[in-house]
Amino acid sequence: MAIKGKEVIEEMSLILSGKSFDAVFPSLVFVLINGFYGLNTAIFSSVGVALLFCIIRLLSKQPFYYATGGLLGGLIASGFAYFAGNASNYFIPKIISSAFVFLLSFTSLLMGKPLAAWASHLTRGWDLKWYWRKDVKPAYREVTWIWTIFFLIRLVLQISLFLSGNIIGLIWLNTLLGFPVSIIGLVPSYIYGSWRLHKLKGPSVEEYLEGIEAPWKGQTRGF
């Protein structure tokens, strides 16, 4: 089944709604300012930038989910760095977050309820029972394995850079492999999942809900 580029972009927009730059830029400010003016100035600058983004989005009535996330994350991260007096500690919350997501993804596989299925259900609102069919679930299980490996690699790299005190490496890693950029990086898993779902020859969500018997057309849009 061919997956069109336009379709991929439209599907990703369901997840990447908002100003993702708002969540990434405060961390960049922290690293740059810390290198020139020290830890305290870096903390105030990054939190100030995050707060400014929130105010701008709010006044312009634009989505401010990522701006709020950037502010809250920045406050927590700054607390770790300030009380420890170590700029590297700014990234401890991100490491904890990576560990949590990895464990969540791996645990979902052990329980037979893959994370990719839950993510799709929460995003699209499709009937949850449909995901657990034997001619549907394998696609979501395999995609969850891809996610789990990705999350594990990110976690290992984060811990390695943190222990070595490589702040520049941490900021680049969290920018390139962090949310929401990681979602874009996982586009291949969406393409694979859609292809695999088609190969399983199970019913589409609509066919399942309407009780249509095989042979089915299958899910032709979305994953």
Side-chain angles (χ1 to χ4, degrees):
M1 179 180 62
I3 305 297
K4 298 179 180 179
K6 181 180 179 181
E7 178 183 337
V8 172
I9 294 174
E10 291 175 352
E11 294 298 330
M12 290 304 103
S13 68
L14 289 174
I15 302 172
L16 296 176
S17 57
K19 304 295 182 179
S20 58
F21 182 74
D22 298 357
V24 175
F25 191 68
S27 296
L28 293 173
V29 170
F30 175 85
V31 173
L32 291 173
I33 298 299
N34 179 70
F36 289 100
Y37 301 104
L39 179 60
N40 290 341
T41 303
I43 289 174
F44 285 112
S45 298
S46 62
V47 172
V49 168
L51 180 60
L52 178 62
F53 279 146
C54 283
I55 295 174
I56 291 175
R57 301 307 177 199
L58 188 61
L59 293 177
S60 59
K61 297 182 179 180
Q62 295 178 338
F64 57 93
Y65 312 116
Y66 291 119
T68 302
L71 176 59
L72 293 177
L75 288 171
I76 295 173
S78 296
F80 274 95
Y82 178 78
F83 289 110
N86 186 341
S88 296
N89 283 27
Y90 182 88
F91 297 96
I92 287 180
K94 295 184 182 297
I95 296 175
I96 295 174
S97 175
S98 291
F100 173 77
V101 175
F102 164 70
L103 290 174
L104 180 65
S105 184
F106 186 64
T107 301
S108 74
L109 288 168
L110 294 179
M111 296 179 64
K113 305 292 184 181
L115 181 63
W118 288 104
S120 177
H121 169 68
L122 293 174
T123 302
R124 304 177 185 282
W126 291 345
D127 191 293
L128 192 57
K129 293 181 180 179
W130 174 78
Y131 292 96
W132 311 140
R133 290 178 56 93
K134 63 180 181 180
D135 49 11
V136 171
K137 188 167 75 170
Y140 290 92
R141 181 176 61 240
E142 292 162 19
V143 166
T144 300
W145 271 114
I146 295 174
W147 291 6
T148 301
I149 294 171
F150 172 82
F151 296 142
L152 177 59
I153 291 174
R154 184 175 68 181
L155 176 61
V156 170
L157 290 174
Q158 284 176 320
I159 293 175
S160 176
L161 291 171
F162 174 78
L163 293 177
S164 66
N166 189 339
I167 301 177
I168 300 298
L170 279 169
I171 184 60
W172 278 112
L173 177 68
N174 285 289
T175 299
L176 296 175
L177 297 184
F179 182 86
V181 179
S182 61
I183 300 298
I184 299 175
L186 291 173
V187 165
S189 73
Y190 167 82
I191 296 175
Y192 171 80
S194 299
W195 171 82
R196 186 74 171 97
L197 200 58
H198 179 71
K199 288 296 182 180
L200 288 168
K201 300 185 183 302
S204 66
V205 178
E206 291 76 13
E207 290 171 324
Y208 167 74
L209 293 176
E210 294 173 7
I212 298 176
E213 298 293 332
W216 299 292
K217 292 178 58 179
Q219 191 66 33
T220 58
R221 179 65 182 265
F223 175 71

